[in-house]
Amino acid sequence: MAKNSVKVLVLFFCLASLNIACGHLVSNKALEREIPGKRLNKAIRIGYFRGGRTALFYRAFIDDYFKEEGVEVILKTKILHESKYLPAPKDINEIRNVKYFGKVTGEELIEEIVKGNIDGATVGESAFILMASKGLPIVAVAMLGHDVSGRPGHAVIFRKDIVIRDSSDIKGKVLATRRAGPADKIFLLEFLRNEGLEEKDVKLIEGLPEDRLKFRLENKSIDGAYYHLAMLRRPVEEGKAYIYRKLDWLKPELSHALLVFSRDFVKNNPQAVESIVKAYVKRIKFEHSLSNEERLRAGKHEAYSSQVRKILEMATDFQGMDFPQYDLPPLASLDLLSEMQMLLCRYKYIAKEVDLMSFIDNSFVEKAYKEAR
């Protein structure tokens, strides 16, 4: 493998140290540099949301895995509360002090695909199903990251001063979910159902932006929430909240992401899709080749900001929780998508189930995996 993770991490450390020594503060404007037009004409534009389920894809991007396969990729994303799409930087230190970078929903990204503004996107499973149910011309070509049974990346947490001994103590509490697709609310409703409760037994606030969710937990205007690992670590470590129940009431793997493209793009540019998937598979294979200690150390250096760590970290063990992981081969799972589709129907996000297999093409992964073995 041409890329050596240790060298990459050392490079990041040096850059971060240089920025710190110079007192350099990176503003949002650092993300606004335009990529030369001649590259835009050739580059594949992929919408990107930042999270554990897409972090490996970003690591492949910054380490030039796509470029090595002969394809230029631009990741397009947004900063929370901002409307403008920006190219994600390869120099990760440019986002060192940019809070809430990469905050865009899968539904928004698929809408950009349909408008022709981007060619593909990383999206959550529920956004994919919602848009497929509308008959939009999209196709999933690979699974990205997913939660893992026994060490999930999501949990229900409560403020430290809220005592929950059993299900009856949850009644009347104010619970919240973050701004995302419908999956977060569905997982929280299924939690209540598993606890023998209904939505009417609590006050549910859905779709809070990450900053508002954090603020409302701290000012005690919510009692608890369905959190992902990257968000819950700090309030738990600071003693402001505690984990009540890690995701075990549903199959954790239901929480996963997908790499999707416009159907026409796949039809007209199969070689580009093949190169992107091949690069992605190679990155998974590389990370799987690392020892557990190497994976646990990745991104942990104290010089890294929390924004940088969230992209570089490969694995952790926080009270039995871990970041989303990536399979070889990373096949889009009809079984998982079908199970999630049933939940979307149960909670009336979609009127009826559709044939999801017609929105999946695993041939690129199958070929890439065969060549990588």
Side-chain angles (χ1 to χ4, degrees):
M1 178 65 64
K3 294 295 177 186
N4 183 299
S5 68
V6 175
K7 291 181 179 179
V8 172
L9 295 178
V10 169
L11 175 60
F12 287 150
F13 170 60
C14 292
L15 289 170
S17 299
L18 178 60
N19 283 338
I20 292 170
C22 297
H24 180 59
L25 293 179
V26 183
S27 72
N28 292 0
K29 292 186 179 296
L31 301 178
E32 297 181 10
R33 297 180 304 176
E34 292 298 329
I35 296 175
K38 62 180 182 180
R39 289 182 61 198
L40 283 172
N41 292 332
K42 298 179 181 178
I44 310 306
R45 305 159 302 169
I46 298 178
Y48 176 77
F49 81 85
R50 182 172 64 82
R53 297 178 297 174
T54 62
L56 184 146
F57 196 83
Y58 196 100
R59 293 193 290 270
F61 170 70
I62 61 177
D63 278 356
D64 282 333
Y65 274 71
F66 303 117
K67 190 173 183 180
E68 288 180 357
E69 294 302 322
V71 62
E72 192 72 25
V73 168
I74 296 175
L75 298 185
K76 304 287 285 186
T77 192
K78 293 195 294 186
I79 297 169
L80 187 65
H81 302 309
E82 297 189 10
S83 60
K84 183 178 180 180
Y85 280 88
L86 305 168
K90 280 192 175 181
D91 180 356
I92 203 169
N93 285 282
E94 290 186 19
I95 65 168
R96 189 165 62 86
N97 294 299
V98 180
K99 283 191 174 183
Y100 304 114
F101 162 76
K103 297 303 177 183
V104 57
T105 68
E107 293 169 67
E108 291 173 316
L109 291 174
I110 292 175
E111 287 171 357
E112 290 296 302
I113 291 177
V114 174
K115 292 175 184 176
N117 294 332
I118 55 177
D119 307 303
T122 62
V123 304
E125 77 299 314
S126 296
F128 170 73
I129 297 168
L130 274 177
M131 297 311 208
S133 72
K134 296 178 181 179
L136 297 185
I138 54 174
V139 58
V141 300
M143 181 190 284
L144 299 175
H146 61 80
D147 273 25
V148 178
S149 295
R151 46 192 182 96
H154 290 81
V156 171
I157 70 170
F158 285 97
R159 294 199 327 261
K160 198 68 175 180
D161 59 309
I162 300 294
V163 178
I164 305 294
R165 293 175 293 268
D166 54 42
S167 299
S168 64
D169 291 327
I170 300 174
K171 285 188 175 183
K173 297 297 185 288
V174 181
L175 304 179
T177 64
R178 67 187 174 101
R179 175 181 178 269
D184 281 30
K185 182 179 179 181
I186 288 174
F187 275 73
L188 185 54
L189 290 175
E190 283 291 293
F191 161 77
L192 294 174
R193 186 167 176 259
N194 189 264
E195 293 276 345
L197 302 171
E198 300 178 38
E199 183 176 358
K200 64 181 179 62
D201 293 321
V202 301
K203 180 179 179 181
L204 181 56
I205 302 173
E206 61 177 303
L208 288 176
E210 281 90 337
D211 54 350
R212 297 301 301 171
L213 185 57
K214 176 184 176 183
F215 174 76
R216 295 193 66 164
L217 186 74
E218 291 179 348
N219 75 4
K220 301 186 178 182
S221 61
I222 61 172
D223 301 311
Y226 180 71
Y227 262 43
H228 59 75
L229 175 55
M231 286 188 66
L232 68 79
R233 273 200 301 188
R234 177 167 291 181
V236 171
E237 287 175 340
E238 293 176 349
K240 297 176 181 177
Y242 66 94
I243 296 171
Y244 173 72
R245 187 174 174 184
K246 292 173 285 189
L247 175 57
D248 64 356
W249 56 92
L250 283 174
K251 189 182 299 179
E253 287 80 2
L254 288 173
S255 175
H256 66 281
L258 298 157
L259 177 62
V260 306
F261 286 96
S262 126
R263 195 174 293 277
D264 282 345
F265 184 83
V266 173
K267 178 182 177 181
N268 298 326
N269 302 274
Q271 186 57 53
V273 177
E274 181 178 322
S275 297
I276 290 169
V277 172
K278 186 176 180 181
Y280 170 56
V281 168
K282 283 186 175 181
R283 180 68 194 198
I284 298 175
K285 185 178 180 182
F286 166 66
E287 294 198 7
H288 281 199
S289 73
L290 300 175
S291 69
N292 188 54
E293 288 186 358
E294 288 175 313
R295 287 167 51 76
L296 287 170
R297 283 201 306 267
K300 296 293 195 300
H301 200 284
E302 61 184 13
Y304 297 143
S305 72
S306 62
Q307 304 302 315
V308 173
R309 284 196 299 271
K310 287 175 182 177
I311 292 172
L312 296 184
E313 286 181 316
M314 299 178 187
T316 192
D317 183 0
F318 184 78
Q319 297 191 21
M321 299 181 70
D322 198 358
F323 300 123
Q325 298 300 309
Y326 300 76
D327 292 340
L328 271 179
L331 297 166
S333 171
L334 180 61
D335 289 343
L336 291 176
L337 289 169
S338 296
E339 192 169 342
M340 197 66 207
Q341 183 173 225
M342 287 190 290
L343 289 169
L344 286 164
C345 280
R346 174 181 294 171
Y347 292 104
K348 304 187 186 310
Y349 282 98
I350 57 177
K352 62 180 181 179
E353 296 180 19
V354 299
D355 176 18
L356 292 174
M357 194 63 228
S358 63
F359 292 88
I360 297 172
D361 184 352
N362 277 321
S363 64
F364 297 100
V365 166
E366 291 167 348
K367 182 178 181 181
Y369 180 63
K370 183 178 180 180
E371 293 177 357
R373 295 177 66 181

